Amino acid sequence: MPRLVIAAPSSGSGKTTVATGLMAAFAGRGLAVSPHKVGPDYIDPGYHALATGRAGRNLDAYLCGPELVAPLFAHGARGCDLAVVEGVMGLFDGASGQGELASTAHVAKLLRAPVVLVVDASSQARSVAALVHGFASFDPEVRLAGVILNKVGSERHEELLREALDEAGVPVFGALRRGGEVVTPSRHLGLVPVAERGAEAVSAVAAMGEMVRGGCDLDALYAVARGAGPLDCAAWDAAEALGSLPQPAPSRPYQYAAPPRGGSAPDPGPRTPDGLKGPDGPKGPDGLRPVVALAGGAAFTFSYAEHRELLAAAGAEVVAFDPLRDEQLPDGASALVIGGGFPEVYASELSANEPLRKAVGELARSGAPVVAECAGLLYLARSLDGRPMCGVLDADARMSERLTLGYRDAVAVSDSVLAANGTRVRGHEFHRTVVEPGAGASPAWGITRPGRRVEGFVQGGVHASYLHVHWAAVPQAARRIVAQATEVARATEGVTPS
């Protein structure tokens, strides 16, 4: 599989513009391009998907472990002609205090992929050669194939830069002029997601493609991509990941209290779902395929593609819905997954959709599985910036000036639909909001690094937390959700388990 990693000396150098532009330019040539992003970021992959017509996929050696990076890459790139991987931060920046772990350089080595460095050349000339030499020599195992110069001021400036890099023996694959940058608006958590920009995002990605097509040598870059080393691994597969898990032991029957029409069922209280028997294939043993509702739309754009694939492989029918537009959950929903996003931006609209807030509350109080991450946590709260939300949790959320950002090590401290008590995970936090209180009577996670604290909420079938977890590393999460959703579907349809 021909592949390139697009890196930079630091954030703000133009990686996203160049990587997305390359994806669009190669796709415009008729190639099937597989888009990837190093790290946990959800926003850039949305632009990648727009450029290529394929799901943007993350490659995170911290969340998933180094051993899954190449298999997940091979899974996403299956059937493609070229893969383009956008890096994160500076080339050698990774998990804080843990060496190369989860850095772009680490992922490039795991993929045996050549690296192209995007250099902001706006305030330098001959010094660019010293900068690039440092990056090329810092780790001999990283193959720095060449550079793309960004924010070049003039023809003369480009000549000086190329002369310096030629003396250093570094190929230059392109030069993009200052002032030609495509405007991609940002706010408190980075770029505005594609789902919120509509036609503007389409135009921006097309402009990135045109800029890269005009300023870069695509033929030379493709030749470099073809020189990537062979990958000796099998592609990750959702069904195989679930099939490798031990079968759970039998447990007591699931007790589901169906919500009455026009009212809410009593909270069945905490329970231990360990050992719930899930479906062995596309359907359960009695032919049921439970509907798992997946929140989407402009307010809830953060979700890893593998989550949906794991839910489907575990036997669920995954149906997306938009809490900004839809007044009811998908028909027959017996579970709900709400990922990350920007509910704080759409608090008024979400609050105004009272029928859906009521439906979510009823489903949660019935004991059906409801998994909420970050934005989902805010939506389940009693209020967000003073506006009524779903009221599932006895907590209130508000915007904060403080950015909470970083990798976390955590352990499940309560049995829940997502994880058994004692399950260890690695996750990521990324928000400018505060939930008060930060944890319920049965917290979701105990954070063990950095610091020590508990956070999140487990009540009935609800698991709500700020922590983003990649289920490829813990595929049993999908199995547990679908197993419990199957029991809900049985109860609502009056099916007796076989």
Side-chain angles (χ1 to χ4, degrees), residues 1-386:
M1 166 59 61
R3 55 196 179 276
L4 286 173
V5 172
I6 306 302
S10 66
S11 296
S13 300
K15 287 191 307 292
T16 300
T17 296
V18 172
T20 306
L22 282 171
M23 294 172 191
F26 280 117
R29 286 188 163 192
L31 297 181
V33 181
S34 181
H36 303 265
K37 170 68 179 179
V38 177
D41 174 50
Y42 294 95
I43 298 176
D44 292 348
Y47 286 87
H48 299 168
L50 203 57
T52 64
R54 298 175 65 91
R57 294 179 183 269
N58 295 73
L59 300 172
D60 196 309
Y62 195 91
L63 294 185
C64 297
E67 68 280 359
L68 277 180
V69 167
L72 286 169
F73 168 83
H75 168 64
R78 202 190 313 257
C80 287
D81 303 308
L82 169 71
V84 177
V85 181
E86 180 188 343
V88 62
M89 301 183 291
L91 174 59
F92 298 104
D93 301 324
S96 180
Q98 301 200 49
E100 71 173 5
L101 179 62
S103 67
T104 303
H106 187 202
V107 170
K109 290 195 289 186
L110 292 169
L111 297 180
R112 305 189 68 188
V115 174
V116 174
L117 199 68
V118 178
V119 179
D120 179 350
S122 57
S123 299
Q124 57 187 317
R126 190 165 182 264
S127 296
V128 72
L131 172 71
V132 174
H133 173 75
F135 275 84
S137 60
F138 184 79
D139 184 346
E141 294 183 20
V142 176
R143 179 190 166 199
L144 186 62
V147 303
I148 293 175
L149 301 167
N150 194 25
K151 300 182 182 178
V152 177
S154 64
E155 288 186 12
R156 179 55 181 159
H157 186 202
E158 181 178 340
E159 288 175 4
L160 293 172
L161 294 166
R162 286 183 178 272
E163 287 173 4
L165 289 165
D166 184 60
E167 290 177 10
V170 178
V172 177
F173 295 118
L176 307 177
R177 290 300 169 85
R178 186 188 310 159
E181 300 94 336
V182 180
V183 176
T184 49
S186 299
R187 57 173 181 232
H188 58 285
L189 293 183
L191 296 180
V192 176
V194 162
E196 299 184 45
R197 297 186 63 201
E200 288 182 353
V202 174
S203 297
V205 169
M208 293 177 199
E210 285 299 320
M211 182 173 64
V212 168
R213 187 178 296 112
C216 296
D217 187 341
L218 297 182
D219 291 332
L221 286 164
Y222 187 64
V224 169
R226 292 183 63 186
L231 279 183
D232 185 19
C233 71
W236 179 86
D237 179 85
E240 290 179 3
L242 291 168
S244 66
L245 298 174
Q247 288 296 322
S251 70
R252 60 187 174 86
Y254 173 76
Q255 299 297 318
Y256 169 74
R261 293 182 180 274
S264 300
D267 187 341
R271 59 185 176 279
T272 303
D274 291 299
L276 285 176
K277 187 175 181 185
D280 298 321
K283 293 183 180 180
D286 42 33
L288 286 177
R289 193 167 180 230
V291 173
V292 175
L294 179 65
F300 299 99
T301 55
F302 296 3
S303 181
Y304 295 126
E306 291 82 5
H307 290 194
R308 184 170 190 153
E309 293 166 352
L310 282 164
L311 289 169
E317 178 184 357
V318 184
V319 181
F321 73 104
D322 185 349
L324 292 175
R325 300 177 181 273
D326 298 322
E327 293 189 343
Q328 295 296 326
L329 293 168
D331 290 344
S334 53
L336 171 60
V337 176
I338 315 172
F342 292 96
E344 62 270 29
V345 176
Y346 296 96
S348 295
E349 294 92 330
L350 291 169
S351 184
N353 191 349
E354 188 173 352
L356 183 63
R357 290 195 291 112
K358 182 179 179 180
V360 170
E362 290 179 352
L363 184 71
R365 285 185 287 273
S366 75
V370 176
V371 176
E373 283 187 353
C374 200
L377 167 66
L378 308 186
Y379 188 52
L380 295 186
R382 185 169 44 226
S383 67
L384 173 55
D385 285 336

